[in-house]
């Protein structure tokens, strides 16, 4: 065999080994890619969310879910590695089930508010006035302490007082984000958001009728006038995300009544089988 043929064989062997090596590295990278579950935004496409995650420097494969329950089940069955949710929700998860643990904060904070149709100016004004007065007199701080900060086990059921001869406001609840938006196993509304609503009802002197809806149907239920109010989360202005990035057209939101950090939750080391 002449020298040229030997050189050619060696060259091809080197190229082949490089390609195989790159393929193995790429396969290993895919294998080790972190899979994170996130609730799908109602007015932001998965493609836009993926772009945002890239801008934020998140190196992970993202899976989007329509509700929190299905996302939690995917984590428990190890179809994903982590879920992204709020600190209060994560702490409730870990208190209720030792198979979960909080991994880390992601440097983001969202604001909780109520959403209404833009034309319902009087209702928006009433809710804003009630929320601001609850902040001023310490009522809101006490509700946060009772239903979030110092919560032990299940939050107590919330009584919404019936006001004779008063107008009724229909409020959509999902029960999908405990302990914030929660419906107990017996069908009784509970949790922080319902407690806030009960107090608002007293202050604006209007009855509240709670209507259970799917989380993904909140915007449609509001704009179709099935309900007058839904719970909403708005994105404050920060250096990573555009403000109000998921607020639908024709919808206004109240002043925020609560803010919470975004964190990641995974299976605990005892359940993950990875010693994490």
């Amino acid at each position: 065999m002449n020298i040229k043929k030997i050189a050619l064989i060696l060259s091809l062997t080197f190229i082949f080994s490089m390609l195989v090596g790159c393929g193995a590295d790429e396969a290993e990278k895919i294998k080790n890619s972190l899979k994170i579950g996130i609730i799908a935004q109602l007015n932001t496409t998965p493609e836009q969310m993926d772009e945002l995650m890239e801008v934020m420097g998140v190196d992970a494969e993202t899976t989007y879910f329509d509700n929190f329950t299905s996302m939690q089940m995917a984590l428990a069955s190890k179809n994903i590695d982590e879920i992204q949710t709020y600190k209060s929700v994560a702490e409730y998860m870990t208190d209720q089930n030792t198979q979960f643990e909080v991994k880390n904060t992601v440097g983001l904070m969202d604001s909780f508010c109520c959403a209404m149709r833009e034309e319902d100016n009087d209702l928006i004004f009433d809710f804003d006035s009630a929320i601001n007065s609850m902040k001023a007199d310490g009522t809101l701080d006490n509700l946060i302490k009772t239903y979030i900060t110092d919560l032990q086990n299940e939050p107590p059921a919330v009584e919404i007082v019936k006001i004779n001869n008063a107008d009724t406001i229909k409020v959509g609840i999902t029960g999908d984000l405990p302990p914030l938006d929660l419906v107990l196993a017996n069908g009784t509304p509970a949790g922080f958001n319902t407690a806030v609503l009960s107090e608002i009802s007293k202050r604006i002197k209007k009855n509240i009728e709670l209507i259970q809806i799917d989380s993904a149907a909140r915007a449609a239920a509001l704009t179709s006038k099935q309900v007058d109010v839904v719970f909403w989360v708005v994105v404050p202005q920060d250096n990573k995300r555009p403000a109000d990035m998921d607020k639908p057209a024709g919808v206004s939101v109240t002043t925020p009544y609560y803010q919470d950090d975004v964190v990641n939750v995974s299976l605990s080391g005892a359940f993950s089988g990875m010693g994490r």
Side-chain angles (χ1 to χ4, degrees):
M1 185 179 294
N2 61 39
I3 295 177
K4 287 185 178 181
K5 285 185 178 180
I6 294 174
L8 178 60
I9 291 172
L10 290 174
S11 177
L12 291 173
T13 302
F14 175 76
I15 292 172
F16 178 76
S17 65
M18 289 292 290
L19 289 173
V20 170
C22 289
D25 290 344
E26 189 63 29
E28 187 66 20
K29 181 179 179 182
I30 293 172
K31 178 181 176 182
N32 293 329
S33 176
L34 186 68
K35 297 178 181 179
I36 296 182
I38 297 178
I39 295 295
Q41 301 288 303
L42 298 185
N43 294 279
T44 306
T45 66
E47 290 76 18
Q48 291 171 322
M49 284 298 298
D50 287 342
E51 290 176 4
L52 179 60
M53 297 285 279
E54 186 175 344
V55 169
M56 292 167 56
V58 178
D59 183 17
E61 178 184 336
T62 306
T63 302
Y64 297 96
F65 295 85
D66 288 334
N67 58 71
F68 185 79
T69 302
S70 61
M71 183 169 69
Q72 184 171 298
M73 290 174 62
L75 176 61
S77 61
K78 301 183 183 180
N79 289 326
I80 54 177
D81 301 308
E82 297 180 3
I83 66 174
Q84 199 165 96
T85 187
Y86 296 104
K87 183 180 179 183
S88 58
V89 178
E91 290 176 346
Y92 182 84
M93 282 179 64
T94 56
D95 286 344
Q96 296 291 310
N97 195 329
T98 57
Q99 76 177 131
F100 302 120
E101 66 179 5
V102 179
K103 291 296 292 184
N104 58 281
T105 60
V106 298
L108 300 175
M109 177 179 284
D110 287 347
S111 297
F112 291 76
C113 59
C114 294
M116 306 168 195
R117 294 178 292 274
E118 278 183 350
E119 65 264 26
D120 293 337
N121 295 313
D122 291 343
L123 187 58
I124 296 167
F125 176 82
D126 287 345
F127 267 61
D128 278 345
S129 298
I131 292 169
N132 287 329
S133 67
M134 290 164 64
K135 289 179 179 179
D137 65 18
T139 299
L140 197 52
D141 286 338
N142 287 333
L143 291 178
I144 292 172
K145 186 175 165 96
T146 300
Y147 287 89
I148 299 176
T149 310
D150 294 346
L151 179 65
Q152 298 292 329
N153 300 316
E154 290 282 7
V158 178
E159 180 185 4
I160 298 182
V161 177
K162 182 75 173 177
I163 305 171
N164 292 330
N165 301 318
D167 293 337
T168 297
I169 302 166
K170 295 180 179 180
V171 180
I173 61 169
T174 68
D176 195 45
L177 201 63
L180 305 176
D181 194 345
L182 172 65
V183 175
L184 299 178
N186 63 4
T188 304
F192 175 62
N193 285 347
T194 309
V196 170
L197 271 180
S198 177
E199 185 63 31
I200 290 175
S201 171
K202 298 172 188 175
R203 296 186 184 225
I204 67 176
K205 296 179 171 54
K206 292 184 179 180
N207 289 313
I208 298 291
E209 179 185 353
L210 299 176
I211 299 176
Q212 191 163 0
I213 58 176
D214 291 335
S215 180
R218 283 175 297 146
L222 182 61
T223 55
S224 66
K225 300 189 178 181
Q226 178 186 348
V227 297
D228 304 305
V229 179
V230 294
F231 296 119
W232 208 263
V233 176
V234 294
V235 175
Q237 183 64 55
D238 59 34
N239 60 358
K240 297 178 180 177
R241 304 170 296 173
D244 296 341
M245 59 178 284
D246 198 42
K247 186 166 73 69
V251 169
S252 290
V253 295
T254 65
T255 185
Y257 55 82
Y258 181 63
Q259 284 191 319
D260 205 352
D261 292 311
V262 179
V263 302
N264 284 353
V265 178
S266 70
L267 290 176
S268 66
F271 290 90
S272 67
M274 298 172 62
R276 290 195 296 182

